[in-house]
Amino acid sequence: MNEANPTAAMLVIGDEILSGRTRDANMHHLAGVLADHGIDLIEARIVPDSTDNIVASIRAMRDRCDHLFTSGGIGPTHDDITADAVAQAFDVGISLREDARAIIAARCKEHGLELNAARLRMARIPDGASLIANPVSGAPGFSIGNTHVMAGVPKIFRAMLEGLLTRIPGGRPLAKRVIEVCSPEGELAAEISRIAETYPQLQIGSYPFRNADRFGVSIVLRGTEAAHVQSAEAELREVFADCLVTAEGEA
Amino acid sequence: MNEANPTAAMLVIGDEILSGRTRDANMHHLAGVLADHGIDLIEARIVPDSTDNIVASIRAMRDRCDHLFTSGGIGPTHDDITADAVAQAFDVGISLREDARAIIAARCKEHGLELNAARLRMARIPDGASLIANPVSGAPGFSIGNTHVMAGVPKIFRAMLEGLLTRIPGGRPLAKRVIEVCSPEGELAAEISRIAETYPQLQIGSYPFRNADRFGVSIVLRGTEAAHVQSAEAELREVFADCLVTAEGEA
């Protein structure tokens, strides 16, 4: 983690994730995109489609980070309660907004669809929010305070995030390296600990892997200063010279 | 959700998930297994490898559910701090435990590995905990209070969970049905809402899908009483008779 970088948290809203029906894809996508953008993701939570849970989570999380991203619950059906819950969390009203209505109306016209009550529901936006464009299916997300509310459908979430991030100042992406060592983790731990103590400014993680033809440990180095990362990497490569899997690696 | 069923929460511990390097697999696995076991997963959180975060999350989550499951951070390396953090969260000591040491020693002997300090670290167990067997690689997890601490490596997490669940009383799995309707969500929302109001005892979710050859909405019905689920399903099938994708479906 880079102390100077902006921080973020994510709130995934969805009964379907907690029931095991769907495997969430948005958090992993967000994590990768934020890392490239120099924003540190410091926590993620997954909560059910329940107003009380959403309100309490937003209130608890938004003050601990520079940006809170949410996914899920902003569609046209009865179980889409996120916009109302966000308004409640920020103690503001919510109403049908003209610019959001115009976007949805244009989309309906283009596709020969009826602008019915369910679709108009997606134009209800908390007071004071700004819209997040949805180039996939029209109905917008929105930002209020430091909270960015996006759709759960992965294709739409990704498209909204891409546009949103052009407006959010990033930080300095961490320098990252990964070294794969072909030895059990219990053999390597003492040396990895020693090097972690030598470089307290780096995050050094070790992750066992096993696949069809080999097993071992991925050692991941992250830090603000590329020189520190390179230097720690060189020490690890020297210490584990006789059991390195790869010559070069990007985390 | 079934009011009478036990509830659970999950705490995923791992910098590698938040940095986007690894996509968590354990939460989705746990969610499915718990659903089959009649235990309702009510929240999940992902936090970094930081003692303060782990302690605060355990203390916040354990009182809100019958069972708290954790994954990650119980290996032999310097970044494996979960056992110490759990001891701190429960205000108990932690020390090398003889039964855990014996399991790890036997494993080392069997595989011709040295029982070094790093491996012995995995025998440090909070006072008063009971062990969770690890049939994959030996080093055990543990349960303390209502908190069950397991490894992050998916193969080991799954094996530990399988054994653990034989000791945890389950509830009544919810009856589930899914209906796929080949129409945009905005066309269906009013009728789905009407049926959701008719059956307040059911969870009814609607999830848009789109794949190579079709798009539409999956309507998922869940409830304690199979008769309610069947009755609501029959109404939905009648209302959407002209745009049903499938004749039969299990959620």
Side-chain angles (χ1 to χ4, degrees):
Chain A
M1 194 162 313
N2 179 348
E3 295 296 326
N5 275 354
T7 57
M10 179 170 196
L11 180 63
V12 176
I13 295 155
D15 284 345
E16 74 281 15
I17 313 288
L18 293 169
S19 72
R21 180 173 178 271
T22 304
R23 184 177 175 194
D24 172 61
N26 294 332
M27 195 241 118
H28 180 57
H29 176 75
L30 179 74
V33 168
L34 290 182
D36 290 342
H37 205 63
I39 296 178
D40 296 329
L41 183 62
I42 58 169
E43 188 184 358
R45 294 190 191 179
I46 304 158
V47 298
D49 300 323
S50 129
T51 300
D52 290 351
N53 274 296
I54 299 170
V55 172
S57 301
I58 289 174
R59 288 183 173 162
M61 297 174 86
R62 68 182 173 197
D63 295 334
R64 290 215 290 261
C65 57
D66 295 311
H67 297 281
L68 174 60
F69 299 87
T70 81
S71 81
I74 61 166
T77 57
H78 69 286
D79 56 334
D80 292 310
I81 58 173
T82 298
D84 288 86
V86 171
Q88 192 175 322
F90 280 88
D91 290 311
V92 299
I94 179 168
S95 56
L96 197 135
R97 221 170 76 176
E98 186 46 41
D99 52 355
R101 198 201 65 81
I103 292 166
I104 294 165
R107 186 91 188 176
C108 285
K109 193 172 175 190
E110 186 188 345
H111 292 268
L113 300 168
E114 184 200 354
L115 185 59
N116 58 20
R119 293 199 170 100
L120 279 173
R121 199 159 172 267
M122 295 190 285
R124 295 176 69 252
I125 304 287
D127 297 347
S130 58
L131 301 187
I132 299 174
N134 169 1
V136 177
S137 59
F142 58 85
S143 297
I144 179 167
N146 68 343
T147 300
H148 311 288
V149 178
M150 292 178 282
V153 175
K155 191 178 173 186
I156 305 177
F157 178 83
R158 288 169 193 218
M160 286 181 167
L161 180 64
E162 192 177 340
L164 174 64
L165 280 182
T166 62
R167 309 201 313 249
I168 291 182
R172 202 168 146 190
L174 293 184
K176 293 174 288 188
R177 296 293 292 173
V178 61
I179 302 162
E180 293 194 347
V181 182
C182 163
S183 184
E185 199 178 19
E187 303 289 321
L188 311 174
E191 287 294 349
I192 299 174
S193 290
R194 187 182 60 73
I195 288 167
E197 278 165 28
T198 312
Y199 295 90
Q201 68 278 61
L202 300 183
Q203 281 178 283
I204 303 184
S206 82
Y207 307 103
F209 66 83
R210 178 182 291 272
N211 53 37
D213 45 299
R214 60 206 173 83
F215 76 98
V217 178
S218 297
I219 306 171
V220 178
L221 307 160
R222 281 195 190 81
T224 320
E225 299 299 331
H228 295 152
V229 173
Q230 284 159 13
S231 167
E233 181 188 1
E235 282 197 44
L236 285 164
R237 288 193 179 280
E238 193 178 326
V239 169
F240 298 130
D242 56 353
C243 50
L244 286 179
V245 176
T246 50
E248 284 292 314
E250 278 284 331
Chain B
M1 194 163 307
N2 179 348
E3 296 295 326
N5 274 353
T7 58
M10 179 168 195
L11 181 64
V12 176
I13 295 155
D15 284 345
E16 75 280 17
I17 313 288
L18 292 169
S19 72
R21 181 175 177 272
T22 303
R23 184 177 175 195
D24 172 61
N26 294 332
M27 195 243 118
H28 180 58
H29 177 75
L30 179 73
V33 168
L34 290 182
D36 291 341
H37 205 63
I39 297 178
D40 295 330
L41 183 62
I42 58 169
E43 188 184 359
R45 293 189 192 180
I46 304 158
V47 298
D49 300 322
S50 129
T51 300
D52 289 350
N53 274 295
I54 300 170
V55 171
S57 301
I58 289 173
R59 288 183 173 162
M61 298 174 85
R62 68 181 173 199
D63 295 333
R64 291 215 290 261
C65 56
D66 295 311
H67 296 282
L68 175 60
F69 299 87
T70 82
S71 81
I74 61 166
T77 56
H78 70 287
D79 56 336
D80 291 309
I81 58 173
T82 299
D84 288 85
V86 172
Q88 192 175 323
F90 280 89
D91 291 311
V92 299
I94 179 168
S95 57
L96 196 136
R97 220 169 78 174
E98 185 46 41
D99 52 356
R101 199 201 67 81
I103 292 166
I104 294 166
R107 185 93 188 175
C108 285
K109 193 172 176 191
E110 185 189 346
H111 293 269
L113 299 169
E114 184 200 353
L115 184 59
N116 58 21
R119 293 197 169 100
L120 279 173
R121 198 160 173 268
M122 295 190 284
R124 295 176 68 254
I125 304 286
D127 297 347
S130 59
L131 301 187
I132 299 174
N134 169 1
V136 176
S137 58
F142 58 85
S143 297
I144 179 167
N146 68 343
T147 300
H148 310 289
V149 177
M150 293 179 281
V153 176
K155 190 178 172 185
I156 305 177
F157 178 83
R158 288 169 193 220
M160 286 181 168
L161 180 64
E162 191 177 342
L164 174 64
L165 280 182
T166 62
R167 309 202 311 250
I168 292 182
R172 202 168 145 190
L174 294 184
K176 292 174 289 186
R177 297 292 291 172
V178 61
I179 302 162
E180 293 193 347
V181 182
C182 161
S183 185
E185 199 179 20
E187 303 289 321
L188 311 174
E191 287 294 349
I192 300 174
S193 290
R194 189 183 58 74
I195 288 169
E197 278 165 28
T198 314
Y199 295 90
Q201 68 277 60
L202 299 184
Q203 281 177 281
I204 304 184
S206 82
Y207 307 104
F209 66 84
R210 179 183 290 271
N211 54 36
D213 45 302
R214 61 204 173 84
F215 76 98
V217 178
S218 297
I219 306 170
V220 178
L221 307 159
R222 283 197 189 80
T224 320
E225 299 299 330
H228 295 152
V229 173
Q230 283 158 15
S231 167
E233 182 189 1
E235 284 197 43
L236 285 165
R237 287 192 181 280
E238 195 178 324
V239 169
F240 298 131
D242 56 353
C243 49
L244 286 178
V245 175
T246 49
E248 285 291 314
E250 279 283 331

